[in-house]
Amino acid sequence: MKQSLLTCLFTLFVFAILCCGNISFANKLEKNFSDTTIIRRDSDDNDADEQIIRITYFEKMHRAAQGVDWRKIEAKTNWLNYKNNQLNNAQTNYAGGKLKGNWSERGSNNQAGRLDAAEYDSSSNKLYVLNDKGVLFEGVPDSSDWHPLNDQLRFTSYGLDIIPKSTTKRLVVSAGLNAYYTDDDGLSFKRSTGFTFPVEWGGNNVEQIAHVSDSKNTTYCLALEWDDNLWQPLYYLYRSINKGATWSLIHKFTEGQEHEVVLWAPHDQSFLYALENVDGVKTSVYKIQGATVTELNNSAPLASFEPIQFKGVLEKGKTKLYALLPEGDLYKSSDFGKTWTYENTIPEDQSANVIGVSILDSNKIILGGVPNCYRSLNGGISMSLVNDWSEYYGNVANKLHADIRDIYFFKRKNGTEFGIVLCDGGVFRSDDYMNTVHNIGLKGLNIGEFYDVLADPTDASWLFGGSQDQGFQRTSDLSSQGAVDFTQVISGDYGHFQLTRNHQTLWTEYPGGQIFYYYNSHGGLSNSGFDMPGTFLPEVGWILPTAPVYPASQNKIFIAGGNLNGGDGSHLVKLTGGTSSPYNITASQFNYDFKSNSDGNGGISAIGTTPLNSSRIYVATEDGEFFYSSNGGSSWSKSSTFNGPGTWYLYGSTIYASKLKPKVVYYAGSGYSSPAVFKSNDGGVSFKPMINGLPPTLVYDLTANADETLLFAATEAGPYVYLVADTTWYSFSGGIAPVNVPYTAVDYDSSTNTVRFATYGRGIWDFKITSQPVIAMAENNSGLALNTIVFPNPIAKGSAINIQMPKASKYIFSLYNAEGILLRQIQAAGNYKMPTSNLASGTYIYLIEENGKRSFGKLIIE
């Protein structure tokens, strides 16, 4: 049986186990501190399971028809955006000039996230680091002077190399099915050529890149490609003699499992080595020089279907090789792989282990993984803990963060050596083989991987964010300009925030449906919690969808089940927070089982509610179906537009219910093999796609401006805006805003006319709208009774606007300036007087909306 098939079957088996049960994650360590204190969840064996669940969740969200490679689709979109944005680097006009505004980076400025790869240029003393979404930063290893290099072009985190040139250097990085290079520190990138990739699927990726110190700085690249003849992936070895501009194939390995072929380039040598672990057959070491690949030795296989870490050292003419297995077993060879000697095992039960070996001394090695890091001064015979992950939170500057991703040793220009540790908390440097460490990512390394962002509508200085591993963060400093520091309240993975009790109470969620309830959203730690029971959790047991329960004065939220009674099923659950100590949470459940009533047996993947009608609730499921209730959840109906994955390859990820029109609702999700966004004008009974201008992508989140003339989407392809008047989507990435990462959440702040996005890999960004389309008075002017009178007109500056209605029904009155910026908005019934204080003389536009009818007019203030 082919190894790739075995891997797929094993992966599916693991995913099935995880999907069938309620994963019991580690307990949070919380204490009743009087101030905001960083606390990390307990870290143990469940961390590896959690990573599998997280990866599976992202894959499920990107639902597509068989044979459709969503990554390639996104890569094409990103490359087109990159080429366009090169011409508009200072762009402030979008949507054909109809939308104007300015981007600004908001943070967090002091909470670096996961990093996966690093390289060092001794000639300029520059350190380059790459995160797992391919965000490339340049810094100095002795400080925190960090700068992003590829905000407009997306890479992967597999390969990174620095190749010397006559007067400068070239950076080469991998990016999915290709590699890119830059000679100007990221100002411009060019595509490499020469990779074959016979099919667009099969796990194809450009992975390791490494150069040797010969006259041409020959560069090698390891790529995982699909072999049509053997019908399985294989590792292909490419060579470049022009510093990564073009590549030629020189060797095919017989292995196709991820990281079972690994390269290692000795420092300042004209050759490199490769280790190949062929399952059930042998483990081989190869020497690669020029275009020649020579097998030096082989032994019995070190591992079975497992990735291997492979590094070594050339010391005084002798080569020592180290191989580290995933379980933490360390082996050493002094005869180029003819024999491997077991040295030791990392003392604790860890996962995803990595190794770093000194360039100068073969006895000095550093080993790490999830969660901790160990050092050895005798080649691994004995190992000592650098520090426990929990110590980081008491000394962020000088203790390692948990979850080690890779370890490197580099030589400075003066010949001294230093170590670099990459982890889920950024980057650390050590000058004494991890006896002491220094956090060099505390400022400016803004690579936070955020799942959610939410502002406090009652206080624009407060912002809440939920990120991968760097946890629940908040700041009260949003009134400051630029990127600001955040306080990490508790580490871990957090998202789906909700504010209730008139925005005074905050709800956050940790994977597996673990809810934390903060009676005071601005201070302290959580008061109580709730764990979603049941044997079937949607989102693969990741961060379950939530929604507010209206009216906003209530202290309640909806959350996707689960089953409060245990067992199977996906139910809608209502949580109510206590209003006095001990602030306990109570839960109630709707009888309707969305899993059994969806054609594909999908769980709840999105929930929508509207302040216009607390009885109207919307639910989407993982198989793209849509449900609606107009009686507070007592009964449910299914939309006739969607009939399961046979027709719609849609993973429903978000619902936005209009706050102005009672039956208008938007529904969005994966759009690689079906439309990504739909609109209903009849409360979910039927939908029509609205994808004009939107590329095939995944829409994570939707929101709208105050008058809902603009709809904003956070997507895998970046930020998009829908102009209702144009019935068209427009990209408004560009300028300084990054487009090389997914935009995972969006929030609109009506008090400042600002759209705020969370990204997965580049933190939080604001778009301050300075001008938007002027409302066309002819558009949908469906004619209220124009005996609806707005007077006087013209009006004296500082006087009140009189709105005279013929009946006492509810309506919304909105006032805009000539550029379309919303200035005033009220909800009223019958006659009303609106003050115009602080409004300058000029021409304004007003909009009155009542029961789906709209009326526009001009108002002149003299």
mmCIF file of all heavy atoms in Angstrom, residues 20 76-77 157 159 186 198 279 299 399 419 434 437 570 600 605 632 742 766 776:
data_model
loop_
_atom_site.group_PDB
_atom_site.id
_atom_site.type_symbol
_atom_site.label_atom_id
_atom_site.label_comp_id
_atom_site.label_asym_id
_atom_site.label_seq_id
_atom_site.Cartn_x
_atom_site.Cartn_y
_atom_site.Cartn_z
ATOM 1 N N CYS A 20 -15.696 12.812 17.133
ATOM 2 C CA CYS A 20 -16.776 12.061 17.760
ATOM 3 C C CYS A 20 -16.909 12.339 19.243
ATOM 4 O O CYS A 20 -17.896 11.972 19.853
ATOM 5 C CB CYS A 20 -16.561 10.557 17.551
ATOM 6 S SG CYS A 20 -16.822 10.042 15.851
ATOM 7 N N LYS A 76 -2.837 32.534 -6.514
ATOM 8 C CA LYS A 76 -3.028 33.330 -7.734
ATOM 9 C C LYS A 76 -3.597 34.706 -7.397
ATOM 10 O O LYS A 76 -3.146 35.724 -7.923
ATOM 11 C CB LYS A 76 -3.967 32.593 -8.692
ATOM 12 C CG LYS A 76 -3.345 31.414 -9.410
ATOM 13 C CD LYS A 76 -4.341 30.779 -10.372
ATOM 14 C CE LYS A 76 -3.700 29.631 -11.135
ATOM 15 N NZ LYS A 76 -4.657 28.973 -12.062
ATOM 16 N N THR A 77 -4.609 34.722 -6.527
ATOM 17 C CA THR A 77 -5.206 35.995 -6.129
ATOM 18 C C THR A 77 -4.178 36.883 -5.458
ATOM 19 O O THR A 77 -4.093 38.090 -5.734
ATOM 20 C CB THR A 77 -6.392 35.758 -5.175
ATOM 21 O OG1 THR A 77 -7.376 34.952 -5.831
ATOM 22 C CG2 THR A 77 -7.016 37.071 -4.748
ATOM 23 N N SER A 157 5.843 28.780 5.324
ATOM 24 C CA SER A 157 6.914 28.847 6.323
ATOM 25 C C SER A 157 7.927 27.726 6.148
ATOM 26 O O SER A 157 8.665 27.417 7.055
ATOM 27 C CB SER A 157 6.314 28.776 7.727
ATOM 28 O OG SER A 157 5.630 27.551 7.898
ATOM 29 N N GLY A 159 10.582 27.212 3.600
ATOM 30 C CA GLY A 159 11.960 27.449 3.205
ATOM 31 C C GLY A 159 12.349 28.911 3.263
ATOM 32 O O GLY A 159 11.579 29.791 2.876
ATOM 33 N N GLY A 186 12.988 43.017 0.242
ATOM 34 C CA GLY A 186 11.540 42.927 0.217
ATOM 35 C C GLY A 186 10.818 44.037 -0.512
ATOM 36 O O GLY A 186 9.585 44.009 -0.587
ATOM 37 N N PRO A 198 3.727 18.249 -11.515
ATOM 38 C CA PRO A 198 2.849 17.747 -12.580
ATOM 39 C C PRO A 198 1.367 17.877 -12.285
ATOM 40 O O PRO A 198 0.563 17.915 -13.194
ATOM 41 C CB PRO A 198 3.250 16.277 -12.704
ATOM 42 C CG PRO A 198 3.862 15.933 -11.380
ATOM 43 C CD PRO A 198 4.531 17.180 -10.912
ATOM 44 N N ASP A 279 10.445 4.128 5.143
ATOM 45 C CA ASP A 279 9.720 3.323 6.125
ATOM 46 C C ASP A 279 9.889 1.833 5.854
ATOM 47 O O ASP A 279 9.658 1.354 4.741
ATOM 48 C CB ASP A 279 8.232 3.687 6.106
ATOM 49 C CG ASP A 279 7.448 2.867 7.095
ATOM 50 O OD1 ASP A 279 7.667 3.050 8.297
ATOM 51 O OD2 ASP A 279 6.644 2.022 6.651
ATOM 52 N N SER A 299 21.345 2.468 7.244
ATOM 53 C CA SER A 299 21.177 1.602 8.404
ATOM 54 C C SER A 299 19.722 1.167 8.467
ATOM 55 O O SER A 299 18.908 1.512 7.604
ATOM 56 C CB SER A 299 21.546 2.373 9.686
ATOM 57 O OG SER A 299 20.634 3.436 9.891
ATOM 58 N N LYS A 399 12.730 34.680 30.066
ATOM 59 C CA LYS A 399 12.361 33.273 30.151
ATOM 60 C C LYS A 399 11.669 32.854 28.863
ATOM 61 O O LYS A 399 10.885 33.600 28.289
ATOM 62 C CB LYS A 399 11.432 33.018 31.346
ATOM 63 C CG LYS A 399 12.070 33.280 32.709
ATOM 64 C CD LYS A 399 13.195 32.295 33.015
ATOM 65 C CE LYS A 399 13.770 32.547 34.395
ATOM 66 N NZ LYS A 399 14.892 31.603 34.700
ATOM 67 N N GLY A 419 22.687 31.605 19.788
ATOM 68 C CA GLY A 419 21.571 30.724 19.472
ATOM 69 C C GLY A 419 20.273 31.508 19.340
ATOM 70 O O GLY A 419 20.075 32.538 19.988
ATOM 71 N N MET A 434 21.938 28.803 26.070
ATOM 72 C CA MET A 434 20.672 28.742 26.792
ATOM 73 C C MET A 434 20.820 28.731 28.316
ATOM 74 O O MET A 434 19.863 28.425 29.024
ATOM 75 C CB MET A 434 19.831 27.520 26.357
ATOM 76 C CG MET A 434 19.558 27.477 24.881
ATOM 77 S SD MET A 434 18.699 28.931 24.277
ATOM 78 C CE MET A 434 19.161 28.894 22.549
ATOM 79 N N VAL A 437 18.533 33.509 28.443
ATOM 80 C CA VAL A 437 17.876 33.839 27.175
ATOM 81 C C VAL A 437 17.331 35.254 27.243
ATOM 82 O O VAL A 437 17.078 35.798 28.327
ATOM 83 C CB VAL A 437 16.731 32.854 26.839
ATOM 84 C CG1 VAL A 437 17.258 31.442 26.666
ATOM 85 C CG2 VAL A 437 15.644 32.897 27.908
ATOM 86 N N SER A 570 -26.430 18.482 17.599
ATOM 87 C CA SER A 570 -25.908 19.843 17.570
ATOM 88 C C SER A 570 -27.068 20.795 17.833
ATOM 89 O O SER A 570 -27.888 21.067 16.961
ATOM 90 C CB SER A 570 -25.267 20.145 16.205
ATOM 91 O OG SER A 570 -24.653 21.410 16.203
ATOM 92 N N GLY A 600 -26.232 16.920 5.381
ATOM 93 C CA GLY A 600 -24.898 16.343 5.525
ATOM 94 C C GLY A 600 -24.506 16.044 6.946
ATOM 95 O O GLY A 600 -23.343 15.779 7.223
ATOM 96 N N SER A 605 -22.355 26.037 12.498
ATOM 97 C CA SER A 605 -21.106 26.734 12.193
ATOM 98 C C SER A 605 -21.243 28.246 12.250
ATOM 99 O O SER A 605 -20.237 28.951 12.182
ATOM 100 C CB SER A 605 -20.591 26.325 10.808
ATOM 101 O OG SER A 605 -21.543 26.652 9.807
ATOM 102 N N GLY A 632 -38.424 32.929 18.140
ATOM 103 C CA GLY A 632 -37.488 32.761 19.250
ATOM 104 C C GLY A 632 -36.939 31.369 19.398
ATOM 105 O O GLY A 632 -36.460 31.002 20.483
ATOM 106 N N PRO A 742 -4.555 35.770 6.105
ATOM 107 C CA PRO A 742 -6.012 35.782 6.149
ATOM 108 C C PRO A 742 -6.525 36.895 7.052
ATOM 109 O O PRO A 742 -5.947 37.171 8.100
ATOM 110 C CB PRO A 742 -6.362 34.410 6.731
ATOM 111 C CG PRO A 742 -5.139 33.577 6.572
ATOM 112 C CD PRO A 742 -3.990 34.514 6.640
ATOM 113 N N ASP A 766 -6.746 48.932 11.374
ATOM 114 C CA ASP A 766 -7.896 49.825 11.242
ATOM 115 C C ASP A 766 -7.928 50.476 9.869
ATOM 116 O O ASP A 766 -6.865 50.850 9.329
ATOM 117 C CB ASP A 766 -7.832 50.951 12.283
ATOM 118 C CG ASP A 766 -8.301 50.514 13.654
ATOM 119 O OD1 ASP A 766 -8.642 49.324 13.803
ATOM 120 O OD2 ASP A 766 -8.312 51.354 14.566
ATOM 121 N N ALA A 776 -27.227 58.047 -3.587
ATOM 122 C CA ALA A 776 -28.007 58.529 -4.724
ATOM 123 C C ALA A 776 -29.465 58.638 -4.312
ATOM 124 O O ALA A 776 -30.081 57.662 -3.908
ATOM 125 C CB ALA A 776 -27.859 57.573 -5.913
#
